[in-house]
Amino acid sequence: MTEIPGYIYWLTRTTFIFWAICLLVVALLPDYRPIAFGLIAGSAVSYVNTKYLARKVRLITEAAANGEKKKRGLGFSQRAAVSVAAVILAVKFPQWFEMYALAGSLVFAPFALIVIGFVLSRHTERNSANERGEKNA
């Protein structure tokens, strides 16, 4: 579980770069503002939900390592409620948020983590090939 902070670090960087690109679209292409705002709002919800899930995984892992009982929480219900609230926001204010862009970007963080995980695993493979000593096969 020591790789989770690294994944969250790169997810944060990726998300901020995505937001910066969306804000450039807002500034330079006014006709696409609702789409860009929808992408920003959906990816923000996705990012927050992923950070919350990573925190829950860390807490459960620490509790299991210490021999404590599993603590109950809202879990999926809380993350789903935040996503539904974002979609309701898009329905309530269609002049500001494109609903399809918002709904589509709710899966931004999981897909970004797949790409980040692939890139980091390839990076680790390349660096481990340069090590001296025995290879564990």
Side-chain angles (χ1 to χ4, degrees):
M1 290 295 151
T2 59
E3 62 271 355
I4 289 179
Y7 286 142
I8 295 299
Y9 170 79
W10 284 106
L11 177 65
T12 303
R13 290 184 68 128
T14 304
T15 304
F16 285 166
I17 290 169
F18 180 71
W19 290 343
I21 292 169
C22 288
L23 288 175
L24 280 174
V25 169
V26 167
L28 300 176
L29 304 169
D31 294 339
Y32 295 101
R33 281 185 182 162
I35 294 172
F37 283 143
L39 290 172
I40 291 170
S43 61
V45 168
S46 178
Y47 174 73
V48 168
N49 283 342
T50 303
K51 290 265 297 188
Y52 176 73
L53 187 60
R55 180 179 170 272
K56 294 291 282 187
V57 167
R58 183 180 52 83
L59 290 176
I60 289 171
T61 304
E62 288 174 0
N66 295 334
E68 299 172 9
K69 288 187 177 182
K70 181 180 172 185
K71 295 178 183 172
R72 294 302 230 174
L74 296 175
F76 175 75
S77 300
Q78 185 177 3
R79 290 181 283 121
V82 172
S83 299
V84 169
V87 172
I88 290 172
L89 184 73
V91 169
K92 188 91 170 157
F93 300 104
Q95 71 274 17
W96 286 101
F97 302 102
E98 173 66 37
M99 184 174 59
Y100 297 118
L102 188 141
S105 64
L106 286 174
V107 294
F108 172 79
F111 285 142
L113 282 175
I114 291 171
V115 173
I116 290 167
F118 179 75
V119 169
L120 289 179
S121 69
R122 298 289 293 169
H123 181 68
T124 303
E125 284 179 12
R126 285 192 187 127
N127 286 345
S128 66
N130 295 333
E131 293 179 3
R132 293 185 176 186
E134 293 184 29
K135 298 230 181 213
N136 297 333

